[in-house]
Amino acid sequence: MEPLRDEVVHASALTKTFAGTNAVDGIDLSIRRGEVFGFLGPNGAGKTSTMRMIACMSPRSSGDLLVRGLDPTFAGPEIRAGIGLVPQEDALDSEMSVFDNLVIYGRYFGLARREVRARAQVLLEFAQLADRASTKVDHLSGGMRRRLAIARSLISRPELVILDEPTTGLDPQARHLVWDRLFQLRSEGVTLIITTHYMDEAEQLCDRLVVMDRGRIVGEGTPRELIASTVPREVVELRLNPGATPALLVALKDHVERVEQLADRICCYGEDGDAILEAVIATGIHPLSSLVRRATLEDVFLALTGRQLIE
Amino acid sequence: MIAILRALPMGPTVTLSWRRSAHVIERNVMNYRRNWFYLVSGFFEPLFYLLAVGAGVGRLVGTVQTSGHSVSYAAFVAPGLLASAAMNGAIFDATYNFFFKLKVERTYEAMLATPLSVMDVAIGELGWTLVRGMLYAGGFLAIMAVFGDCHSYDAMLCLPAAMLITLAFAAIGLALTSYMSQWQHLGTVALAVLPLFLFSGTFYGLDAYPGWLQEVVRCSPLYQGVALLRALALGHLSALLLIHVLYLVLLILFGLFVVSRRLARVLTP
Amino acid sequence: MTTAPPRGFFAPASSTAPPRRRWRLALSFWLLQYRRTWRGSILSTFVLPTLYLASLGIGLGGLVTQHLGNHAALLGSTSYLRFVAPGVLCASAMQIGINEGSWPVMGAIRWQRTYHAQLATPLRIVEVLDGHLLWITIKIGASCATFVAIAAAFGAQPSVKAILEVLVATVLGMAFATPMVALSAHVKNDAAFSTLNRLVIVPLFLFSGTFFPVSELPRPLRVLARLTPLENGVALCRSLALGAGFSVGQLWPLLYLVALVIVGHHLARRSLTARLVQ
């Protein structure tokens, strides 16, 4: 793969080895300017290791990597000067005020004090933290901390912002506020890289995404492409009395394309969900509950890795 | 110095910029702006020791002999306490605070996501202990002068010498802390510092020890500092003092080498 | 999947009377915890005071002996080692009391939330408090006893009555531990501990007759020093170490220290209640 002109990240056969095991196992990536690119996968899939290599915070073990057209091995500071990172655990200065956190971070980029202060003011508004400017970070809620971490990553006008699980642990309201801000960034041409293990988040935010499992990329494309190419259109979820499952599976064999047995329910995949449900009722086995829905990324993930995303 | 630092075998990825390091110092200054009282209170502890040991215990001891001269106990013990204060001022920042920022707050992870490099962080943290140490040592030296414990203008050299001690203990403290993984490990710091404080010739000369023990104590970094400061404060200058200086400089470089290697390994695996 | 518990396993117990002597249950937590952490604390509670004794008693003592032929300044002690040993004993009892009353208490409230866990059981606040205080008492007592034994090995303890010193030093330690618990429950920030240590504890440690007689202090400071709990403990321990006969006068400092423990306990109870049961 040759790097393209509008590529912000270009990787081929990128590998990261920790103590003999490949956390990232020869992946190819091409992330273009202005897009929102997602890494989807369970814990330990290699998402964070990949992000850290892209952010020039971890040297690669082998393969090629260009970020902003430069090689991280030799141009770490130059590359990082154009990247904003929102790490999983925020890494804010908890003893300092909200405002000071922004200011000192901007200073790390060598920005002038006056410029940083002016920008920090605007970012506080953007993150809905203006009334908290002098609060110690210690006293912020989880959602506020995350918004501050995002605001902090924007202090240096980065062209690429990397967010590691931006909404993990947040309540639904706080998540939507974060999503809204990320859309705003995208509309101004900022390239975003996001890791997540929430399917709805990936579907909502990402232009393109890769599904990672055990260090490898197992699926790639837009959310729609991924769903269309990997799983049938509809799903019937059934909860059954213990013991009823085997008989039902035999009876349904001709009506469904695929069946996944989960701990508390079974999922039957096919082009027409209602038809499947009718077939279930015709067997005379009555499920405790049933639900017909469209296939989602969750189902893609289940099909690609044989596992549920959040266990 | 820059040449030496750049020449440390760190691999191609490590860069150093004094300007970027300065931002690490700036962060610490901002952090302490809210806790300025805590910062200032650190100045009083060595002062209390000077009064209690110099004046109080001094009444019980009278005068002592050092390098063939007879001096008051207060004048004898003050440079020793200054050296200990230089050590203590550095060690807390370089161990507890460093551990907190490294393992708990992940401050350095945030820093390394910016143009700052591992070497910038290590040099910046050392620089901060230097700023803080200068504050304490300068104040202490001024009070020594007021009490008449400085016997010549050479005593002004105590300030740079105390900075060397601060840097040496900061560098070693950072290096050791970078190997620690639990809070409990920090308990060993007090365990190392107190024997140094008590047995490195701060309170009495080496002749209190049997011959072989004298040689052991001579190897202690704090003894090197105490001997240097005592000679400078009492005006007993000689070329041999350069050996103490060399010892401390080597300690600084060694600590810096270890800590930047460890930080690179821990933070950018 | 693991096997399911047998039927009836979750059936509610028929009798749920609260256990008796509940402070013992709180104490057992700290004993259990100590099984994991004793190594670190052995070193700091026993080794550090011993180092003080060796450095000051023997090293500095040599200089004092050279200067003071008549021992007049040492309040009857026949050597600086014998003079300083009760001082170091009491100072370290104070230090342990302060330490045990600060970080572990703040931890039990804010970090490990041990107190919250205990209060979710039949334990009441005063039982949680007494269990912890008893543990601190045991810790201070044990380390004082060891210190006195070590001091005896150094030749600093000429009298058997000196064993009473352990008792006095332990009460002294608790006189600091109890108000410290009250303070720890009250403060928001652990930076308060460092400031308190530098501005209050260190001066107490240095000027309470521990390393030189308070009679060497200028008069106003001397009066102030005589009022401190540490000076009272040191003076009492020193007279016990000398093996002088009992006198009623020796009871006053002890009563003073006991009174401080009672007041401290009251404050600690109030402060913990305010913090934990809002």
Side-chain angles (χ1 to χ4, degrees):
Chain A
M1 247 175 32
E2 279 298 305
L4 305 170
R5 266 196 53 183
D6 66 338
E7 268 185 328
V8 179
V9 178
H10 174 89
S12 60
L14 182 62
T15 301
K16 179 73 197 182
T17 312
F18 288 115
T21 44
N22 288 349
V24 178
D25 196 1
I27 63 171
D28 297 336
L29 286 171
S30 164
I31 301 174
R32 292 190 283 270
R33 183 154 291 129
E35 72 178 342
V36 181
F37 193 89
F39 284 88
L40 205 62
N43 293 331
K47 293 171 296 174
T48 300
S49 297
T50 307
M51 304 267 267
R52 287 176 59 86
M53 284 191 279
I54 294 173
C56 312
M57 294 179 68
S58 170
R60 63 182 182 270
S61 302
S62 66
D64 287 327
L65 178 64
L66 288 180
V67 183
R68 305 178 62 226
L70 300 166
D71 184 337
T73 311
F74 303 103
E78 290 78 2
I79 296 173
R80 289 196 299 267
I83 294 182
L85 178 74
V86 183
Q88 222 176 95
E89 54 289 301
D90 293 338
L92 298 163
D93 267 315
S94 62
E95 300 277 308
M96 298 201 316
S97 72
V98 167
F99 189 72
D100 283 354
N101 261 274
L102 292 176
V103 170
I104 191 60
Y105 206 71
R107 296 286 290 156
Y108 295 155
F109 284 87
L111 305 178
R113 267 197 203 86
R114 178 198 294 267
E115 185 190 349
V116 173
R117 282 166 189 277
R119 227 176 131 65
Q121 284 295 354
V122 180
L123 283 170
L124 282 179
E125 296 286 345
F126 171 80
Q128 293 198 357
L129 290 167
D131 53 337
R132 302 276 176 165
S134 53
T135 308
K136 244 168 74 163
V137 167
D138 240 357
H139 303 145
L140 296 184
S141 71
M144 291 175 183
R145 290 175 65 97
R146 195 56 56 85
R147 262 143 51 208
L148 176 57
I150 293 173
R152 186 179 66 167
S153 74
L154 300 171
I155 194 87
S156 59
R157 296 178 158 275
E159 66 164 317
L160 170 63
V161 176
I162 301 177
L163 303 107
D164 200 356
E165 301 192 3
T167 65
T168 297
L170 299 190
D171 61 42
Q173 232 178 338
R175 287 180 80 194
H176 281 282
L177 188 54
V178 169
W179 288 355
D180 177 73
R181 294 305 185 256
L182 296 183
F183 279 123
Q184 216 170 318
L185 292 179
R186 183 188 153 200
S187 71
E188 296 201 22
V190 180
T191 309
L192 298 176
I193 298 180
I194 293 171
T195 71
T196 181
H197 49 224
Y198 294 124
M199 297 299 159
D200 55 341
E201 184 160 285
E203 271 188 84
Q204 284 265 340
L205 292 176
C206 299
D207 298 316
R208 284 196 311 135
L209 54 90
V210 290
V211 179
M212 284 189 81
D213 188 39
R214 299 195 175 94
R216 291 171 182 275
I217 291 177
V218 292
E220 185 169 4
T222 67
R224 275 159 170 251
E225 283 168 8
L226 266 172
I227 295 169
S229 66
T230 320
V231 287
R233 226 161 55 93
E234 297 199 328
V235 191
V236 181
E237 287 190 17
L238 301 168
R239 277 171 216 273
L240 296 165
N241 274 317
T245 314
L248 184 74
L249 291 183
V250 173
L252 283 179
K253 216 165 60 183
D254 299 331
H255 298 275
V256 300
E257 292 179 36
R258 235 164 52 85
V259 175
E260 292 284 352
Q261 272 187 277
L262 306 176
D264 59 335
R265 61 189 195 274
I266 61 173
C267 295
C268 307
Y269 295 85
E271 288 307 311
D272 185 351
D274 292 326
I276 295 175
L277 194 55
E278 273 167 32
V280 170
I281 292 164
T283 62
I285 298 168
H286 292 286
L288 300 173
S289 71
S290 61
L291 168 73
V292 179
R293 59 171 176 80
R294 309 225 5 155
T296 64
L297 278 178
E298 189 94 42
D299 303 300
V300 170
F301 191 81
L302 199 58
L304 288 176
T305 68
R307 285 179 294 153
Q308 273 181 287
L309 201 52
I310 301 170
E311 275 140 357
Chain B
M1 189 80 172
I2 304 173
I4 296 172
L5 289 176
R6 291 231 161 94
L8 290 175
M10 303 297 304
T13 49
V14 171
T15 59
L16 167 66
S17 141
W18 297 109
R19 215 177 65 109
R20 292 197 303 248
S21 309
H23 295 315
V24 178
I25 301 179
E26 190 180 338
R27 181 238 165 232
N28 287 313
V29 172
M30 281 173 80
N31 193 37
Y32 271 104
R33 230 176 23 199
R34 289 184 166 219
N35 289 330
W36 63 269
F37 186 74
Y38 171 71
L39 197 64
V40 171
S41 71
F43 165 75
F44 289 97
E45 192 173 329
L47 180 62
F48 289 138
Y49 269 91
L50 183 61
L51 287 171
V53 182
V57 177
R59 297 281 288 267
L60 305 179
V61 176
T63 57
V64 286
Q65 295 288 323
T66 180
S67 9
H69 302 264
S70 184
V71 296
S72 77
Y73 186 64
F76 173 82
V77 87
L81 289 172
L82 173 57
S84 304
M87 170 181 79
N88 282 324
I91 215 81
F92 187 78
D93 260 328
T95 56
Y96 281 82
N97 285 350
F98 181 61
F99 185 86
F100 185 69
K101 286 186 271 188
L102 184 62
K103 301 278 163 160
V104 185
E105 287 252 279
R106 296 170 176 273
T107 311
Y108 301 124
E109 299 225 355
M111 287 182 181
L112 291 179
T114 73
L116 265 57
S117 73
V118 166
M119 197 56 143
D120 297 332
V121 169
I123 295 278
E125 286 298 346
L126 271 188
W128 164 242
T129 55
L130 193 61
V131 170
R132 198 173 154 170
M134 189 95 81
L135 233 61
Y136 294 157
F140 191 91
L141 204 57
I143 287 168
M144 271 173 68
V146 170
F147 286 176
D149 295 333
C150 299
H151 286 194
S152 80
Y153 284 104
D154 298 334
M156 290 209 291
L157 289 173
C158 282
L159 191 60
M163 291 307 97
L164 272 184
I165 300 171
T166 297
L167 281 180
F169 278 97
I172 294 299
L174 293 176
L176 289 178
T177 307
S178 68
Y179 282 95
M180 296 178 185
S181 55
Q182 308 162 19
W183 282 111
Q184 278 86 342
H185 295 161
L186 285 166
T188 53
V189 173
L191 221 58
V193 167
L194 195 71
L196 279 177
F197 174 61
L198 289 172
F199 296 103
S200 295
T202 313
F203 299 105
Y204 44 87
L206 280 188
D207 43 4
Y209 300 115
W212 62 273
L213 202 52
Q214 291 187 12
E215 297 311 316
V216 174
V217 173
R218 258 186 239 280
C219 297
S220 130
L222 185 59
Y223 172 77
Q224 298 286 325
V226 169
L228 177 61
L229 286 184
R230 190 164 283 150
L232 293 174
L234 297 175
H236 304 157
L237 262 60
S238 81
L240 285 177
L241 294 181
L242 289 176
I243 295 176
H244 302 311
V245 173
L246 185 67
Y247 180 106
L248 294 170
V249 168
L250 286 177
L251 215 54
I252 295 169
L253 288 176
F254 174 70
L256 195 57
F257 171 67
V258 173
V259 73
S260 45
R261 290 264 292 220
R262 277 292 298 172
L263 280 184
R265 180 166 297 178
V266 173
L267 292 171
T268 60
Chain C
M1 271 261 288
T2 51
T3 49
R7 206 167 158 69
F9 186 82
F10 294 110
S14 49
S15 145
T16 52
R20 291 186 301 146
R21 283 189 292 173
R22 291 184 287 265
W23 52 266
R24 273 180 49 181
L25 307 175
L27 172 64
S28 62
F29 165 84
W30 296 102
L31 287 170
L32 206 63
Q33 156 138 317
Y34 190 62
R35 290 216 310 227
R36 274 194 309 114
T37 58
W38 62 274
R39 282 179 198 86
S41 78
I42 288 273
L43 287 167
S44 56
T45 42
F46 304 140
V47 176
L48 298 188
T50 312
L51 293 179
Y52 261 97
L53 209 55
S55 170
L56 300 180
I58 298 174
L60 188 57
L63 294 182
V64 176
T65 311
Q66 277 175 23
H67 182 64
L68 297 176
N70 57 4
H71 310 308
L74 293 179
L75 310 172
S77 301
T78 48
S79 73
Y80 188 67
L81 175 69
R82 288 179 179 177
F83 171 82
V84 90
V88 175
L89 169 69
C90 290
S92 74
M94 168 182 85
Q95 204 61 58
I96 298 171
I98 295 277
N99 287 345
E100 293 292 319
S102 56
W103 302 102
V105 172
M106 191 169 248
I109 293 172
R110 292 172 47 149
W111 302 315
Q112 290 86 27
R113 300 177 75 83
T114 310
Y115 289 164
H116 299 266
Q118 291 180 348
L119 286 175
T121 73
L123 270 66
R124 290 180 302 172
I125 285 214
V126 66
E127 291 145 5
V128 168
L129 173 66
D130 287 351
H132 195 173
L133 287 179
L134 204 62
W135 165 239
I136 299 177
T137 313
I138 292 170
K139 241 183 142 174
I140 298 174
S143 86
C144 288
T146 314
F147 180 83
V148 168
I150 293 168
F154 273 99
Q157 297 289 337
S159 160
V160 186
K161 281 180 204 155
I163 293 164
L164 288 173
E165 283 181 72
V166 175
L167 178 74
V168 175
T170 307
V171 176
L172 172 75
M174 292 312 290
F176 281 96
T178 48
M180 201 60 206
V181 171
L183 187 74
S184 305
H186 191 72
V187 295
K188 286 204 181 77
N189 194 330
D190 54 2
F193 294 152
S194 313
T195 313
L196 181 86
N197 186 52
R198 284 168 169 177
L199 298 185
V200 180
I201 306 301
V202 167
L204 271 179
F205 173 71
L206 290 170
F207 296 100
S208 297
T210 34
F211 303 109
F212 60 93
V214 283
S215 54
E216 303 290 334
L217 288 169
R219 196 182 146 72
L221 282 179
R222 201 187 313 157
V223 175
L224 201 64
R226 289 235 158 92
L227 292 176
T228 65
L230 183 54
E231 201 280 337
N232 278 271
V234 171
L236 182 51
C237 281
R238 203 163 271 149
S239 70
L240 287 170
L242 288 175
F246 285 115
S247 69
V248 185
Q250 284 181 334
L251 279 178
W252 293 117
L254 189 60
L255 282 178
Y256 174 50
L257 295 178
V258 170
L260 286 176
V261 175
I262 293 170
V263 172
H265 181 267
H266 178 73
L267 291 175
R269 186 179 172 174
R270 247 185 35 179
S271 191
L272 268 186
T273 308
R275 180 68 189 251
L276 296 173
V277 193
Q278 281 115 352

